[in-house]
């Protein structure tokens, strides 16, 4: 049996939503358009102004707008998507979601303790378990859009990777 104490912060939820958003093919296409295609087209126009009209001021202005566009528009899109997600949660909901949590991995179940209240989650209710590429977050998915988020930075007791390996082992045993 393994136990882990951690704190869930708003930036952890933002990371999860950004990860889900950038995994969306439609958003990826839009992001690529705003990061590469539009600034690239503006750079080509700026180059045309440099070469054909020999108007350096306008060329630099258009090129500068393209660079700023490529940097700021994707940030705006991510911020705007977070604002849309945040509208779905009241301040009371966020207060209940954020804070210190304890997870206990046991054969047959996972026990989550929040504010002194225990919730038992059978391993079969967990769809999949993932660790992000940088090994800074663990995710225990209940469906495609909801998961327990475990940020490595806020863990107080157990080692992150050891806990996640044990959780994966219990989960695989339950699904056999």
């Amino acid at each position: 049996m393994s136990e882990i104490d951690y704190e869930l912060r708003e930036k952890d939820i933002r990371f999860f939503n950004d990860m889900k958003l950038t995994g969306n093919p439609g958003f990826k296409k839009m992001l690529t358009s705003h990061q590469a295609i539009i600034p690239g087209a503006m750079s080509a126009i700026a180059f045309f102004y440099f070469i054909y009209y020999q108007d350096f001021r306008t060329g630099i202005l258009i090129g500068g707008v393209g660079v700023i566009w490529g940097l700021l528009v994707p940030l705006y899109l991510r911020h705007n998507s977070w604002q849309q997600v945040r509208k779905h949660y009241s301040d009371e909901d966020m207060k209940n979601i954020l804070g210190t949590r304890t997870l206990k991995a046991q054969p047959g179940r996972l026990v989550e303790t929040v504010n002194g209240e225990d919730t038992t989650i059978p391993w079969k209710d967990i769809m999949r378990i993932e660790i992000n590429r940088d090994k800074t977050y663990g995710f225990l998915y209940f469906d495609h859009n909801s998961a327990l988020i475990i940020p490595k930075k806020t863990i107080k007791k157990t080692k992150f990777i050891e806990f996640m390996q044990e959780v994966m082992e219990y989960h695989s045993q339950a699904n056999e």
Side-chain angles (χ1 to χ4, degrees):
M1 182 176 88
S2 185
E3 183 176 313
I4 194 168
D5 288 331
Y6 67 96
E7 183 179 345
L8 187 63
R9 306 162 296 183
E10 187 171 318
K11 73 186 226 176
D12 302 323
I13 298 172
R14 277 185 146 183
F15 177 84
F16 177 74
N17 283 312
D18 273 351
M19 189 182 75
K20 297 304 291 177
L21 195 61
T22 55
N24 180 331
F27 186 79
K28 252 185 187 174
K29 185 176 180 181
M30 184 174 59
L31 201 59
T32 301
S33 170
H34 287 290
Q35 282 181 317
I37 296 171
I38 293 173
M42 293 179 102
S43 296
I45 292 168
F47 184 71
F48 177 74
Y49 268 88
F50 276 138
I51 300 301
Y52 190 73
Y53 291 119
Q54 295 184 355
D55 185 358
F56 297 109
R57 181 185 288 172
T58 304
I60 288 174
L61 181 66
I62 293 171
V65 169
V67 168
I68 291 170
W69 184 287
L71 295 173
L72 294 183
V73 169
L75 292 175
Y76 170 75
L77 291 173
R78 283 193 169 124
H79 176 73
N80 189 39
S81 68
W82 169 248
Q83 292 302 319
Q84 290 176 12
V85 168
R86 182 64 176 89
K87 284 180 186 176
H88 293 290
Y89 299 103
S90 68
D91 290 336
E92 186 66 29
D93 289 339
M94 287 303 284
K95 184 181 171 188
N96 291 335
I97 293 170
L98 303 176
T100 305
R101 299 169 177 275
T102 301
L103 292 178
K104 295 175 191 165
Q106 302 173 346
R109 65 182 178 202
L110 179 73
V111 179
E112 179 185 29
T113 305
V114 181
N115 298 326
E117 294 182 29
D118 288 348
T119 305
T120 301
I121 305 163
W123 289 115
K124 293 196 184 263
D125 288 354
I126 297 174
M127 186 174 82
R128 72 180 188 275
I129 298 170
E130 288 181 1
I131 300 173
N132 73 326
R133 186 176 49 220
D134 299 331
K135 297 185 178 180
T136 54
Y137 284 92
F139 303 103
L140 283 67
Y141 285 91
F142 298 109
D143 60 34
H144 294 289
N145 296 317
S146 63
L148 279 175
I149 304 166
I150 305 170
K152 180 180 180 180
K153 236 179 199 173
T154 63
I155 293 174
K156 295 179 178 85
K157 286 184 180 179
T158 313
K159 293 188 178 186
F160 174 71
I161 296 297
E162 291 173 10
F163 178 79
M164 292 304 293
Q165 287 173 342
E166 186 171 346
V167 166
M168 288 178 186
E169 187 177 310
Y170 281 135
H171 184 258
S172 66
Q173 288 173 359
N175 289 328
E176 290 178 351

